[in-house]
Amino acid sequence: MKSLLLLRHAKSSWDHPELADHDRPLKQLGIEAAKRMGRWTLAKSLIPDRVLCSSAARTTETWDRVRSVWERAARTSPEVTIHPELYACSTDAIRRVIAEFGRSSQSVMVIGHNPALQDLLSQLTGVDETFPTAAFAKIDLPIDDWVEIQQSDLRGNLFRLQRPRDLDEADR
């Protein structure tokens, strides 16, 4: 059994229209949401063994905020790979990148973009839910090797779907 954690980047800024989409940073609301999700994942013991992160500014900034919460509170931070292929990609591309882990790592987090993350959630669980900015999902997969994630008929169990706006005040 492996666990796939999906985290969509937090809310990005449109304040600088001259920036390429890849280079758009987080807005203040996004920074706060990323920290909130970092605190929540820490409190729920949902820290992965490995992180795969898109190379876009808004995803790496989301990762930086989550990581800083984990490092400060738990003195831990998983190994991260910034992967350019995860920017503006398909679900097949995400699956290919994850498959490279083989048998290593019990849990992997992908920090990326929609529509790919929402589509992957639907493909793997059959659940059609919106996946807004800074949303998190944990999917338990009946596999022993990450290469099996490439199977088109693979079905997992959605353990948790959390949107930042649905966190209790205590979790914020």
Side-chain angles (χ1 to χ4, degrees), residues 57-126:
R58 59 192 178 275
T59 52
T60 59
E61 284 187 51
T62 298
W63 165 240
D64 286 342
R65 301 301 188 220
V66 169
R67 178 186 47 78
S68 69
V69 168
W70 293 349
E71 286 178 347
R72 196 171 38 254
R75 306 272 192 265
T76 188
S77 182
E79 186 176 334
V80 65
T81 303
I82 306 299
H83 216 296
E85 190 175 349
L86 295 176
Y87 172 70
C89 69
S90 66
T91 57
D92 288 342
I94 296 173
R95 289 176 186 238
R96 270 193 311 276
V97 172
I98 294 170
E100 295 172 8
F101 287 121
R103 291 189 176 275
S104 71
S105 302
Q106 221 27 51
S107 60
V108 172
M109 176 183 276
V110 176
I111 304 175
H113 311 268
N114 267 357
L117 290 183
Q118 184 170 316
D119 292 346
L120 186 60
L121 174 67
S122 178
Q123 289 172 7
L124 292 174
T125 66

Side-chain angles (χ1 to χ4, degrees), residues 6-172:
L6 304 177
L7 179 63
R8 185 171 173 205
H9 65 79
K11 189 77 170 163
S12 61
S13 173
W14 291 88
D15 291 345
H16 303 281
E18 72 280 2
L19 289 177
D21 180 69
H22 184 273
D23 300 329
R24 283 190 297 114
L26 293 181
K27 67 185 317 177
Q28 189 59 43
L29 181 70
I31 290 169
E32 294 307 316
K35 289 182 200 175
R36 221 171 25 251
M37 294 309 285
R39 288 189 298 271
W40 181 82
T41 53
L42 178 65
K44 301 298 182 191
S45 299
L46 294 170
I47 299 176
D49 300 325
R50 301 280 303 261
V51 173
L52 291 167
C53 185
S54 159
S55 60
R58 59 192 178 275
T59 52
T60 59
E61 284 187 51
T62 298
W63 165 240
D64 286 342
R65 301 301 188 220
V66 169
R67 178 186 47 78
S68 69
V69 168
W70 293 349
E71 286 178 347
R72 196 171 38 254
R75 306 272 192 265
T76 188
S77 182
E79 186 176 334
V80 65
T81 303
I82 306 299
H83 216 296
E85 190 175 349
L86 295 176
Y87 172 70
C89 69
S90 66
T91 57
D92 288 342
I94 296 173
R95 289 176 186 238
R96 270 193 311 276
V97 172
I98 294 170
E100 295 172 8
F101 287 121
R103 291 189 176 275
S104 71
S105 302
Q106 221 27 51
S107 60
V108 172
M109 176 183 276
V110 176
I111 304 175
H113 311 268
N114 267 357
L117 290 183
Q118 184 170 316
D119 292 346
L120 186 60
L121 174 67
S122 178
Q123 289 172 7
L124 292 174
T125 66
V127 174
D128 288 319
E129 290 281 344
T130 60
F131 206 66
T133 55
F136 170 91
K138 179 180 186 267
I139 304 167
D140 292 325
L141 298 168
I143 59 176
D144 295 316
D145 191 312
W146 284 109
V147 75
E148 297 172 65
I149 199 164
Q150 296 184 94
Q151 299 170 1
S152 62
D153 62 343
L154 177 64
R155 290 294 173 267
N157 177 49
L158 178 60
F159 176 78
R160 186 72 182 247
L161 175 61
Q162 184 66 57
R163 296 173 185 92
R165 71 173 182 254
D166 296 333
L167 290 173
D168 293 332
E169 284 300 316
D171 294 323
R172 292 176 188 245

